[in-house]
Amino acid sequence: MTSSIFMHPATMFIVGALLLPLFKKFNAQKIWLVVVPLLAFIQIKYLPASFGCVEWLGFKMQFGRVDQLTMVFLHVFTLMALIGSIFGLHVKESGQHAAAWLYVAGSLGTTLAGDYLVVFIFWELMAFASVFLVWYRKRKRSIEAGYRYLLVHTFGGLVLLGGIFLRYLNLDGDLSFVAITPDTATLADYLIMIGFMLNAAVPPIHAWLPDAYPEATVTGAVFMCAFTTKTAVYVLARGFAGFETLAIMGAIMTLYGVGYAVIENDARRILAYHIVSQVGYMVCGVGIGTEMAINGACAHAYAHILYKALLFMGVGSVLEMTGRSKLSELGGLYKYMPMSMIFTVIGGIAISGFPLTSGFISKSMIIAAAGANHQLILMLMLSLAAVGTFLSVGIKLPYFIWFGPNDCGLKPKEAYWNMQVGMFMAAFMCIFLGVYPDYLYDMLPYVVNYHPYNSYHLTETFHLLGFTGLGFYIMVKYLKPHDVSNLDLDWFYRRGAGWFMWLARKPISSTNEWVSNVYQNIGLRFTMALARALSWFDWEGIDWALDGSARGVVKGGEQVRQFQTGKLQHYIGAAVALLFLVLIVVVLI
Amino acid sequence: MIVNFLTYLRERPNMMKWLFMAVLAFALVFDFFADRHHAHFWGDHINEFWAVFGLVGCLALIVFCKGLSHVWLERGTDHYDK
């Protein structure tokens, strides 16, 4: 066995990220960007079933636990890291790549974690690293969206942590991350589930996703669409399979997301809403909880990561080359970016579930599992969402970007070569999985007894897709995009924050001012006089009597002050860097 | 090459329309020959069920979502900046 020489995949990405600036200095950043994910991708096959067990401050922590369920996700996460890194090769800023890799590390660490404490550590790493992918866009809107994203995820993390603490109390210190059955679930388990559901973007706690993703950088969005929600699907599948709440919420998600995808205008916002819809399938599959449904959820997560990233790469290329992502400002680009067009259309037909693409062999598995479990309403909801998927992402999005009723007049260049390579890899996988589903089915946690290519499934698909196309053809004038955005539940905290600020500024602040005026006029004078007397005594009396150390401290303090830039991003960056160092030390020892 | 081909097709919307109709007709005919052993519920036994589901579902989604957007949800893109 080669298992004696392996490295935790998360450590690989963390070390890789820390060394990036060094490789940049020697002009080898591009090589490093390919080598590290490639090594990680190859290496996951050699991971032992259990590793990295440490005792730390009385906690038993397990950094590595590998089984079939872990393996599917590890496989697609590392593959996606490779594709995403190649897609982003042209980006010169090491910081952006480092943030992406730390984010990947968080996701891999969560996937491999054997106990809740390790889950929580990497969970937070994911949130704090990914927010930089939004901030690196450097526009005012992105900075604001990043802060909202961070606050919402901090809230979710706290709920998760609360659940973990309660579980720790309930189970006498056993924090191992194992399946929970719905009958024995307590408040602690539900808190954990809510924390996970926030990352899976289950309504009503989903609005962070369509708020932040469209504001991320071009490559940042490609990474973000793959990891946060799918890691959440993994942890839900690991811990909460068979919870009926999840099945119902998942089915609602599929329609909620697709409904917004039909009416939105910004291409990346459409795709972001559509993630909500697609993750809904997976959450629903996890909730149904049968072997076939869990298989379906994993297969769909695998397929979804690839085609959704492909779509984000396609519209990202358009954004990179034209600076635009609103459908109302695009049209007729097929003449100038034909390769990007072909790849995006492949992503579009794959997500819609055309035969011979990955969507056909994965999505149908969840729908069939709902049918086999006699959950008719869920099955029809999922089928309706499939109609909406083809309508919004399969037809509307490519049509208004690449063709459309009128040309936008732009003549952009084709996307950079590395972007095309990234898109080609994802597009290849979409078709490869459709043609050879057993490659994916063999990786799934349970034995697969499902054959997607039967005549009934084919005729069902032809009908659903063909007549959705007819519906689009009839209504295309009505679907013409306008430059608007739609309210969503983030209204509560975006407007709510405004009211809170008003409250803080007006009544609370004025009361505060009045009190401090009173204090300044009466109390402060007295205190100041006393302080001056004491200070004189301390400075001249005691410090003189000792060795002048107070003067030394004052000087040192002046110097330390220079380090504090006052920018919250710097502090978070430093804190995250410190966390990685601790992690590396813990993992390596 | 592909660009020229697509432009060629784009300039012939009528031909595209008939091609599309032919595909739909094929789908409708194909349904009568499909094997229905794996039916999950009553709808699976009705010929052309999913065609009606697809068309009605699609139109209903468009009318409902666009309508809701128009009367309630639609805002300017700078709504929160004000």
Side-chain angles (χ1 to χ4, degrees):
Chain A
M1 283 291 282
T2 34
S3 60
S4 54
I5 25 165
F6 73 92
M7 198 171 182
H8 192 299
T11 319
M12 283 178 90
F13 280 98
I14 293 171
V15 174
L18 293 179
L19 292 181
L20 261 174
L22 191 73
F23 279 86
K24 190 183 179 188
K25 199 161 186 191
F26 295 109
N27 264 336
Q29 179 167 269
K30 288 185 178 170
I31 300 168
W32 190 240
L33 277 173
V34 179
V35 167
V36 172
L38 191 65
L39 275 179
F41 179 64
I42 294 167
Q43 197 218 219
I44 52 163
K45 291 189 194 73
Y46 304 106
L47 291 177
S50 171
F51 59 94
C53 297
V54 284
E55 281 222 24
W56 191 56
L57 302 180
F59 290 107
K60 277 187 198 137
M61 297 163 90
Q62 188 184 7
F63 282 86
R65 179 247 320 257
V66 183
D67 57 17
Q68 281 287 95
L69 181 62
T70 329
M71 212 55 203
V72 195
F73 284 88
L74 278 187
H75 196 269
V76 68
F77 284 157
T78 44
L79 178 63
M80 186 55 227
L82 178 65
I83 294 175
S85 297
I86 291 177
F87 180 80
L89 276 184
H90 64 280
V91 176
K92 293 196 177 69
E93 295 157 318
S94 301
Q96 209 180 131
H97 294 298
W101 278 7
L102 293 173
Y103 174 44
V104 173
S107 172
L108 292 172
T110 309
T111 312
L112 280 161
D115 68 287
Y116 279 111
L117 214 55
V118 180
V119 167
F120 181 76
I121 293 170
F122 285 105
W123 195 258
E124 291 302 299
L125 170 59
M126 229 168 27
F128 279 86
S130 57
V131 72
F132 283 89
L133 296 174
V134 182
W135 279 336
Y136 259 108
R137 186 112 181 263
K138 293 174 184 168
R139 302 192 315 172
K140 185 170 170 277
R141 260 164 195 262
S142 309
I143 310 266
E144 290 168 355
Y147 277 116
R148 284 195 296 274
Y149 173 87
L150 193 60
L151 285 173
V152 172
H153 278 280
T154 310
F155 169 74
L158 286 176
V159 174
L160 174 64
L161 189 64
I164 293 174
F165 279 157
L166 279 182
R167 199 177 153 81
Y168 184 79
L169 281 180
N170 290 347
L171 297 180
D172 275 336
D174 177 23
L175 280 181
S176 56
F177 183 22
V178 288
I180 296 162
T181 48
D183 309 330
T184 57
T186 59
L187 174 68
D189 304 318
Y190 281 107
L191 282 178
I192 294 175
M193 188 164 94
I194 291 170
F196 289 167
M197 277 160 88
L198 188 135
N199 267 27
V202 180
I205 38 179
H206 68 287
W208 58 268
L209 194 157
D211 182 22
Y213 286 16
E215 299 301 336
T217 64
V218 169
T219 37
V222 171
F223 276 95
M224 291 175 87
C225 76
F227 291 97
T228 303
T229 45
K230 261 59 75 181
T231 311
V233 168
Y234 163 78
V235 288
L236 284 173
R238 169 72 71 192
F240 298 94
F243 277 65
E244 196 165 8
T245 333
L246 290 178
I248 297 165
M249 295 302 279
I252 294 172
M253 276 173 87
T254 58
L255 289 173
Y256 192 100
V258 95
Y260 271 95
V262 171
I263 54 180
E264 277 297 333
N265 177 37
D266 185 294
R268 298 204 301 168
R269 213 165 142 83
I270 292 174
L271 291 177
Y273 269 115
H274 203 266
I275 296 176
V276 175
S277 173
Q278 291 282 303
V279 173
Y281 282 95
M282 300 164 219
V283 172
C284 183
V286 169
I288 293 170
T290 58
E291 289 193 356
M292 187 183 189
I294 299 286
N295 269 346
C298 295
H300 201 48
Y302 192 106
H304 168 82
I305 284 177
L306 293 168
Y307 53 61
K308 185 45 69 72
L310 175 55
L311 286 162
F312 262 101
M313 287 192 265
V315 297
S317 305
V318 173
L319 177 62
E320 179 85 27
M321 306 320 284
T322 66
R324 298 182 187 181
S325 65
K326 287 178 183 166
L327 296 190
S328 54
E329 297 173 352
L330 291 164
L333 291 184
Y334 75 99
K335 290 177 196 154
Y336 310 104
M337 303 178 74
M339 296 311 284
S340 307
M341 184 270 293
I342 291 171
F343 294 133
T344 314
V345 168
I346 291 177
I349 61 172
I351 206 169
S352 314
F354 267 65
L356 300 182
T357 63
S358 53
F360 183 76
I361 61 135
S362 64
K363 189 193 297 180
S364 56
M365 219 167 162
I366 300 175
I367 299 179
N373 214 24
H374 307 294
Q375 284 164 310
L376 182 61
I377 295 174
L378 292 186
M379 193 185 109
L380 289 177
M381 285 169 87
L382 298 184
S383 300
L384 184 60
V387 168
T389 297
F390 184 47
L391 173 68
S392 58
V393 179
I395 319 179
K396 176 185 154 189
L397 183 102
Y399 176 76
F400 285 111
I401 292 180
W402 310 106
F403 307 100
N406 30 12
D407 287 4
C408 61
L410 294 176
K411 292 181 179 163
K413 289 197 181 85
E414 181 59 277
Y416 305 129
W417 68 267
N418 60 296
M419 292 175 134
Q420 292 188 43
V421 173
M423 286 190 275
F424 170 80
M425 288 169 72
F428 173 81
M429 284 306 289
C430 287
I431 297 196
F432 174 71
L433 294 177
V435 176
Y436 181 55
D438 286 343
Y439 179 76
L440 176 55
Y441 287 176
D442 287 343
M443 272 190 266
L444 297 179
Y446 302 103
V447 179
V448 178
N449 290 315
Y450 176 71
H451 304 286
Y453 288 101
N454 61 61
S455 62
Y456 188 69
H457 184 204
L458 280 171
T459 185
E460 185 186 336
T461 310
F462 288 156
H463 279 183
L464 278 180
L465 297 180
F467 283 84
T468 305
L470 184 63
F472 178 82
Y473 184 76
I474 297 170
M475 303 290 270
V476 65
K477 285 207 182 85
Y478 194 49
L479 277 170
K480 199 171 180 303
H482 304 283
D483 188 17
V484 290
S485 68
N486 290 280
L487 290 184
D488 198 349
L489 296 176
D490 54 348
W491 182 85
F492 284 99
Y493 55 78
R494 294 178 77 168
R495 276 284 177 255
W499 294 330
F500 177 76
M501 288 307 286
W502 179 85
L503 201 71
R505 235 177 253 142
K506 296 287 157 84
I508 296 179
S509 167
S510 51
T511 316
N512 182 37
E513 210 162 301
W514 182 80
V515 172
S516 72
N517 273 342
V518 171
Y519 174 72
Q520 226 161 31
N521 289 332
I522 304 162
L524 198 63
R525 283 187 192 160
F526 173 72
T527 321
M528 284 303 279
L530 190 68
R532 268 195 293 273
L534 283 174
S535 163
W536 178 87
F537 175 71
D538 182 43
W539 198 254
E540 297 301 331
I542 297 180
D543 199 42
W544 179 84
L546 291 170
D547 54 358
S549 62
R551 287 188 176 84
V553 171
V554 168
K555 218 169 138 195
E558 272 300 311
Q559 284 162 347
V560 171
R561 203 164 58 87
Q562 316 270 329
F563 288 122
Q564 297 178 326
T565 54
K567 282 201 171 147
L568 202 52
Q569 282 108 322
H570 292 179
Y571 297 156
I572 294 174
V576 172
L578 195 68
L579 180 70
F580 304 144
L581 280 177
V582 173
L583 269 180
I584 293 169
V585 170
V586 172
V587 173
L588 287 184
I589 291 171
Chain B
M1 189 188 78
I2 179 110
V3 173
N4 291 337
F5 178 64
L6 286 173
T7 311
Y8 174 86
L9 291 180
R10 218 177 166 214
E11 284 162 358
R12 285 161 186 75
N14 254 330
M15 185 181 86
M16 291 299 290
K17 190 169 106 189
W18 288 112
L19 268 176
F20 180 51
M21 294 302 162
V23 171
L24 292 187
F26 165 76
L28 290 178
V29 174
F30 182 81
D31 198 38
F32 287 96
F33 300 99
D35 168 34
R36 289 167 189 279
H37 275 98
H38 295 288
H40 292 304
F41 77 121
W42 48 266
D44 286 340
H45 294 291
I46 304 173
N47 279 323
E48 326 297 1
F49 173 83
W50 290 109
V52 177
F53 185 90
L55 184 61
V56 173
C58 174
L59 296 180
L61 264 178
I62 297 176
V63 171
F64 178 76
C65 297
K66 275 281 178 185
L68 199 65
S69 168
H70 254 341
V71 300
W72 183 24
L73 300 173
E74 201 172 84
R75 293 291 187 280
T77 44
D78 57 348
H79 175 63
Y80 288 111
D81 300 336
K82 285 173 198 160

